[in-house]
């Protein structure tokens, strides 16, 4: 089973603000982990570290037993491309691409896809997984917020990553769509993906396998 | 990342680009500026340079010593050194033969078998040839620049080369207007022999002492009796519009041939009783105009002025320097260069701003692309490809616009008078300029993106987390 192991992560900004204070966490495949906390607690910073979107001031990050925190920039980009999928609060869909074409975006740089037809086929399969088959040819402007976020989830699955990292994925959605998204993420966890969600929304708790609370850059003990 | 994948993304991003229309318009204008303005500027400047380098535009004359008291000096073995010592003077030689033929008529054309082929084709039409081939020269910059056949340096005496085309104009005697204009090729005349009737008008000088003066010479224009001779056409030279100073084009012969023809004319004149009139002209080395040649058209006026100051009876060759052409070149060059530079400058600014703003506006999108694994170089290529797509479209539109304009200008000018005919753009030149224009509109966005690549690199993947 693959995992992400973060050990003693410290992140200091501008030599003044310590956003993370020796945080350690493990995310295994098949788990749905939630990190909660108020704004400014450091939870988003933790996700940035885990997702290799930024590098820690000190500490290590192992993905599938490989220390990735010391790799050069391009190598880190490759790790993100192969092993990680992201879902952000703002959906960030390209308005000029149809729903399935947005899903194709990460595939364009994946050499495992031989041609566009292969990418299209896979993209439409993923659109089907998130329950939007009938909306595959629609542009983001023609989709609701919840539908757009589902497309973003499909995009996160484009290169079949081991882990999905989500930052406030339901921050812009109503309660009905929240349920849809959380259910979807839970299903992905049950299918073997490692899911880490950062959120302040307590309705996610019923989906989580493990819950952590962050406060002032310190990760509290696991709840549950 | 494969080119197809890049293309797919680039096309999609272009759809939503706010500035693509402005960028494309500037690229189209750049294509037009490079092909039209630069193209015609180049033609004008080349033609003007060709013209300015011609010997005849760099020459002045010095007349022999005059008879009058305190008369002007002439060139003698004592004074020629003074002339040659002037700065920018290249040579000072006795006026080259021939002088100006008053009338030159082509009376017959025969082929290699001596068969008369006069008037059998448009090219052998004697009237047209006589009207179109105005003069006979030997001292020309084009004497060996044949494009077909043999140059005069390798040809025997009494050979000639013709301009590859000449213009025949039919002018209405009453109104003086051109009623017909035709361009006729002379290529078929290579190997044929033309029979020429020539009547010389010479500027003849006689020793003043024969007329009661103490020193100096008296000058007068004298017509010599007609002579007839044959010239074999051995080649054709490229007819440069710049050489057609008076609207005509020249039969070119070697110096030896010209001297032989002139001797024939003088011998014939002596035979017909003009011996006394021509005695000094034939036998006195200094009973002739002398021609002084400058290193540049810009210096000849100054040299003549200096010579006049030294007491010589000197002047420029009147009627050969077309000041209006020089003025037109200057104005057209200035305006054309300004417009071209302005268009290219605005294109650079426009594309630079477009790239800069593009990156700023797409920060979150670029952050997302980096988050999913895109590298800075891949994002750079994708953005550059957007500009390549615009450049290809601009090349097609700008190329068609320019081609149509060149076609219209060429059609108008090639059927115009000799001066207009200078400004016809060859299609090979147009295609080369089009390729250069394409290069320009590819390089400008590349340079702009390279300057801004730091901005792309600076965007962190976590930008995608900022809504």
């Amino acid at each position: 089973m693959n995992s992400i192991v973060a050990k003693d992560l410290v992140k200091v900004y501008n030599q003044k603000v310590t956003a993370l204070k020796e945080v350690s966490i493990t995310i295994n495949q098949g788990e749905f982990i939630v990190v909660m906390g108020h704004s400014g607690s450091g939870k988003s910073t933790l996700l940035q570290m885990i997702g290799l979107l930024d590098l820690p001031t000190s500490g290590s990050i192992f993905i599938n037993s490989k220390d990735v925190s010391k790799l050069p920039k391009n190598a880190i980009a490759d790790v993100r491309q192969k092993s990680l999928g992201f879902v952000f609060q703002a959906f960030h869909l390209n308005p000029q691409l149809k729903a399935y074409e947005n899903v194709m975006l990460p595939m364009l740089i994946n050499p495992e896809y031989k041609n566009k037809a292969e990418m299209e086929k896979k993209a439409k399969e993923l659109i089907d997984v998130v329950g939007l088959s009938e909306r595959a040819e629609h542009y983001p402007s023609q989709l609701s917020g919840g539908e757009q976020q589902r497309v973003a989830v499909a995009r996160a699955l484009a290169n079949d990553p081991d882990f999905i990292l989500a930052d406030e994925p339901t921050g812009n959605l109503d309660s009905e769509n929240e349920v849809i998204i959380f259910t979807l993420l839970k299903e992905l966890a049950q299918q073997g993906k490692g899911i880490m969600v950062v959120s302040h929304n307590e309705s996610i708790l019923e989906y989580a396998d493990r819950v952590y609370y962050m406060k002032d850059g310190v990760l509290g003990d696991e709840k549950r | 990342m494969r080119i197809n994948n890049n293309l797919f993304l680039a096309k999609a991003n272009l759809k939503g680009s706010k500035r693509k229309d402005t960028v494309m318009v500037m690229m189209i204008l750049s294509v037009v500026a490079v092909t039209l303005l630069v193209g015609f500027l180049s033609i004008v400047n080349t033609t003007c340079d060709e013209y300015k380098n011609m010997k005849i535009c760099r020459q002045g004359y010095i007349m022999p010593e005059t008879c009058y008291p305190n008369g002007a000096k002439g060139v003698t073995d004592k004074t020629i050194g003074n002339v040659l010592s002037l700065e920018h003077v290249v040579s000072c030689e006795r006026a080259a033969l021939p002088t100006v033929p008053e009338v030159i008529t082509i009376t017959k054309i025969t082929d290699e078998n001596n068969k008369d082929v006069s008037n059998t084709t448009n090219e052998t039409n004697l009237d047209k040839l006589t009207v179109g081939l105005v003069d006979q020269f030997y001292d020309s910059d084009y004497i060996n620049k044949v494009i077909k056949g043999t140059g005069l340096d390798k040809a025997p005496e009494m050979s000639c080369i013709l301009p590859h085309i000449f213009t025949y104009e039919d002018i209405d005697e009453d109104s003086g207007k051109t009623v017909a204009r035709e361009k006729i090729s002379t290529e078929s005349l290579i190997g044929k022999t033309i029979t020429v009737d020539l009547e010389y008008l010479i500027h003849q000088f006689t020793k003043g002492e024969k007329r009661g003066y103490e020193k100096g010479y008296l000058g007068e224009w004298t017509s010599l009796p007609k002579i007839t001779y044959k010239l074999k056409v051995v080649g054709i030279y490229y007819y440069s519009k710049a050489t057609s100073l008076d609207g005509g084009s020249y039969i070119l012969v070697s110096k030896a041939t010209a001297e032989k023809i002139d001797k024939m004319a003088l011998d014939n004149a002596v035979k017909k009783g003009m011996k006394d009139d021509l005695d000094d002209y034939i036998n006195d080395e200094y009973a002739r105009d002398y021609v002084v040649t400058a290193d540049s058209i810009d210096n000849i006026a100054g040299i003549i002025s200096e010579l006049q100051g030294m007491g010589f009876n000197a002047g420029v060759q009147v009627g050969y320097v077309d000041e209006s052409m020089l003025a037109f070149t200057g104005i057209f060059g200035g305006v054309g260069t300004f417009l071209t530079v302005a268009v290219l400058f605005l294109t650079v600014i426009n594309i630079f701003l477009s790239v800069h703003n593009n990156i700023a506006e797409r920060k979150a999108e670029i952050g997302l692309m980096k988050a999913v694994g895109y590298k800075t170089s891949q994002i750079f290529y994708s953005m550059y490809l957007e500009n390549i797509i615009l450049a290809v479209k601009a090349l097609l539109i700008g190329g068609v616009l320019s081609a149509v304009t060149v076609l219209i200008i060429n059609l108008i000018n090639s059927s115009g008078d000799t001066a207009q005919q200078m400004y016809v753009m060859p299609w090979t030149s147009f295609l080369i300029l089009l390729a250069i224009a394409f290069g320009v509109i590819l390089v400008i966005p590349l340079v702009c993106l390279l300057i801004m690549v730091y901005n792309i690199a600076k965007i962190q993947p976590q930008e995608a987390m900022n809504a």
Side-chain angles (χ1 to χ4, degrees):
Chain A
M1 184 174 59
N2 292 328
S3 58
I4 299 176
V5 177
K7 278 189 179 161
D8 301 325
L9 295 181
V10 174
K11 181 66 181 178
V12 181
Y13 292 107
N14 298 329
Q15 297 174 325
K16 288 179 195 168
V17 177
T18 305
L20 292 179
K21 296 170 183 170
E22 294 185 346
V23 171
S24 297
I25 188 170
T26 300
I27 304 150
N28 297 311
Q29 274 187 287
E31 284 188 321
F32 191 128
I33 291 169
V34 173
V35 176
M36 300 199 71
H38 293 297
S39 181
S41 59
K43 59 186 190 300
S44 293
T45 305
L46 176 62
L47 187 132
Q48 287 177 17
M49 301 298 124
I50 301 282
L52 304 176
L53 299 176
D54 194 4
L55 292 176
T57 309
S58 66
S60 305
I61 302 166
F62 294 82
I63 295 183
N64 302 338
S65 307
K66 191 175 173 188
D67 186 353
V68 295
S69 50
K70 308 285 187 292
L71 291 177
K73 247 187 180 171
N74 281 349
I76 289 178
D78 286 336
V79 170
R80 284 200 300 272
Q81 184 239 307
K82 290 184 179 110
S83 306
L84 305 174
F86 294 92
V87 181
F88 299 109
Q89 182 176 352
F91 323 126
H92 292 314
L93 299 182
N94 189 319
Q96 310 307 324
L97 296 173
K98 295 173 186 171
Y100 80 92
E101 289 173 338
N102 267 287
V103 175
M104 281 166 63
L105 187 70
M107 300 179 192
L108 296 175
I109 49 167
N110 186 345
E112 289 177 14
Y113 290 100
K114 301 285 176 258
N115 52 52
K116 199 167 163 230
E118 215 176 292
M119 289 184 224
E120 281 181 9
K121 183 170 177 266
K122 177 71 178 178
K124 285 177 179 172
E125 282 171 8
L126 291 172
I127 287 281
D128 193 37
V129 163
V130 300
L132 287 174
S133 308
E134 72 283 0
R135 309 289 252 164
E137 302 278 343
H138 289 209
Y139 288 95
S141 57
Q142 298 167 310
L143 303 174
S144 67
E147 288 169 338
Q148 288 185 56
Q149 193 63 299
R150 281 148 77 184
V151 173
V153 171
R155 182 180 60 196
L157 297 168
N159 290 329
D160 197 23
D162 294 331
F163 303 95
I164 305 285
L165 307 177
D167 177 43
E168 303 280 7
T170 59
N172 291 335
L173 303 178
D174 58 25
S175 51
E176 189 185 330
N177 280 302
E178 265 179 23
V179 170
I180 294 170
I181 295 301
F182 289 151
T183 306
L184 188 51
L185 290 173
K186 182 66 179 176
E187 283 170 2
L188 290 173
Q190 285 165 351
Q191 286 165 20
K193 303 289 182 200
I195 308 290
M196 175 177 164
V197 178
V198 158
S199 180
H200 64 270
N201 185 346
E202 296 209 342
S203 53
I204 198 177
L205 293 175
E206 65 178 278
Y207 301 91
D209 295 320
R210 282 189 282 141
V211 179
Y212 294 88
Y213 286 87
M214 275 202 80
K215 190 179 175 184
D216 298 329
V218 175
L219 189 71
D221 292 332
E222 178 195 324
K223 306 284 182 204
R224 192 159 310 208
Chain B
M1 190 167 166
R2 294 191 192 95
I3 184 98
N4 283 344
N5 297 348
N6 254 321
L7 207 55
F8 164 72
L9 195 56
K11 278 184 189 170
N13 286 331
L14 260 182
K15 267 195 256 174
S17 170
K18 293 174 200 164
R19 284 175 208 82
K20 68 169 189 282
D21 291 336
T22 315
V23 169
M24 199 159 84
V25 165
M26 293 313 301
M27 285 183 170
I28 290 170
L29 286 175
S30 296
V31 169
V32 170
V34 170
T35 50
L36 288 186
L37 290 176
V38 172
F40 281 106
L41 260 175
S42 171
I43 288 172
V44 166
N45 284 333
T46 303
T47 304
C48 190
D49 284 344
E50 234 176 28
Y51 168 80
K52 282 162 70 172
N53 282 333
M54 286 178 59
K55 237 183 191 173
I56 206 154
C57 293
R58 298 183 280 128
Q59 287 178 336
Y61 65 85
I62 306 173
M63 286 173 64
E65 186 180 1
T66 55
C67 296
Y68 306 106
N70 300 319
K73 287 194 295 198
V75 174
T76 65
D77 53 355
K78 294 185 179 63
T79 63
I80 193 165
N82 299 339
V83 177
L84 291 170
S85 67
L86 293 178
E87 200 184 357
H88 302 301
V89 168
V90 171
S91 65
C92 179
E93 297 168 326
R94 206 166 77 150
L97 300 173
T99 50
V100 179
E102 191 167 29
V103 179
I104 187 165
T105 312
I106 298 168
T107 60
K108 198 174 180 183
I109 301 174
T110 51
D111 65 10
E112 301 83 359
N113 301 318
N114 212 28
K115 182 184 164 195
D116 188 343
V117 293
S118 310
N119 296 322
T120 51
T121 65
N122 196 31
E123 290 84 359
T124 60
N125 182 296
L126 297 176
D127 290 335
K128 290 180 179 176
L129 276 168
T130 297
V131 169
L133 298 175
V134 180
D135 274 338
Q136 179 182 283
F137 266 175
Y138 86 87
D139 189 15
S140 165
D141 299 284
Y142 295 86
I143 204 156
N144 286 321
K145 287 183 186 175
V146 288
I147 55 172
K148 217 158 190 179
T150 313
L152 289 170
D153 55 344
K154 295 183 179 63
E157 227 173 51
M158 302 309 285
S159 300
C160 70
I161 58 177
L162 302 180
H164 78 291
I165 54 162
F166 65 91
T167 305
Y168 165 69
E169 283 187 318
D170 187 10
I171 297 172
D172 181 67
E173 281 183 20
D174 296 324
S175 63
K177 285 189 181 158
T178 302
V179 296
R181 187 181 284 123
E182 198 183 342
K183 279 207 224 172
I184 301 172
S185 165
T186 60
E187 191 176 333
S188 64
L189 293 175
I190 297 175
K192 302 218 176 16
T193 300
I194 56 175
T195 304
V196 180
D197 281 353
L198 184 144
E199 294 174 45
Y200 265 138
L201 181 68
I202 59 171
H203 194 200
Q204 174 205 328
F205 291 90
T206 312
K207 280 204 173 90
E209 58 196 37
K210 291 182 181 170
R211 307 281 177 89
Y213 292 93
E214 285 182 10
K215 59 172 183 172
Y217 296 85
L218 280 172
E220 58 188 346
W221 290 94
T222 304
S223 289
L224 299 182
K226 183 179 74 174
I227 57 167
T228 301
Y229 53 90
K230 293 182 182 181
L231 294 172
K232 180 149 185 209
V233 181
V234 295
I236 54 176
Y237 65 91
Y238 183 75
Y239 170 62
S240 166
K241 288 91 173 182
T243 64
S244 61
L245 302 164
D246 56 0
S249 50
Y250 310 125
I251 302 170
L252 298 183
V253 297
S254 66
K255 189 173 180 183
T257 300
E259 285 175 345
K260 184 171 180 176
I261 292 169
D262 289 343
K263 190 170 186 306
M264 280 166 61
L266 291 169
D267 288 347
N268 185 49
V270 165
K271 221 189 274 183
K272 290 190 174 165
M274 292 176 75
K275 184 181 185 308
D276 287 341
D277 295 328
L278 298 175
D279 189 41
D280 290 330
Y281 182 78
I282 294 170
N283 297 311
D284 185 344
E285 189 180 349
Y286 297 112
R288 297 280 180 116
D289 288 330
Y290 268 68
V291 174
V292 62
T293 306
D295 54 6
S296 158
I297 194 176
D298 300 320
N299 294 324
I300 187 60
I303 289 169
I304 297 302
S305 186
E306 267 187 276
L307 287 169
Q308 287 169 349
M310 288 160 69
F312 287 97
N313 188 357
V316 289
Q317 300 275 33
V318 173
Y320 287 117
V321 178
D322 187 348
E323 295 292 345
S324 66
M325 179 194 180
L326 300 177
F328 170 75
T329 304
I331 294 168
F332 184 77
V335 170
T337 305
F338 172 76
L339 284 174
T340 305
V341 169
V343 165
L344 291 176
F345 179 71
L346 286 171
T347 304
V348 168
I349 298 293
N350 194 276
I351 292 177
F352 185 84
L353 285 174
S354 171
V355 166
H356 179 271
N357 293 338
N358 214 6
I359 293 170
E361 285 161 9
R362 290 160 71 174
K363 227 172 163 178
E365 179 198 329
I366 292 171
L368 175 79
M369 289 170 79
K370 288 195 174 185
V372 302
Y374 280 72
K375 301 179 180 78
T376 299
S377 58
Q378 289 166 325
I379 297 169
F380 173 90
Y381 289 134
S382 181
M383 292 181 91
Y384 183 48
L385 200 51
E386 291 171 34
N387 284 283
I388 291 178
I389 293 170
L390 287 177
V392 169
K393 287 183 184 175
L395 180 74
L396 288 170
I397 297 171
V400 167
L401 282 174
S402 301
V404 168
T405 309
V406 167
L407 181 66
I408 293 171
I409 292 175
N410 281 359
L411 279 172
I412 293 171
N413 284 346
S414 55
S415 57
D417 61 24
T418 310
Q420 271 180 278
Q421 287 171 32
M422 290 190 206
Y423 309 113
V424 170
M425 190 188 299
W427 286 105
T428 42
S429 302
F430 174 77
L431 289 172
I432 290 168
L433 286 167
L434 199 59
I436 293 171
F438 189 46
V440 166
I441 58 175
L442 285 180
V443 163
I444 293 175
L446 177 64
V447 170
C448 292
L449 267 171
L450 283 172
I451 292 169
M452 300 303 296
V453 76
Y454 173 72
N455 286 19
I456 300 172
K458 225 171 52 174
I459 296 172
Q460 299 303 315
Q462 59 266 40
E463 291 290 340
M465 290 175 69
N466 304 330

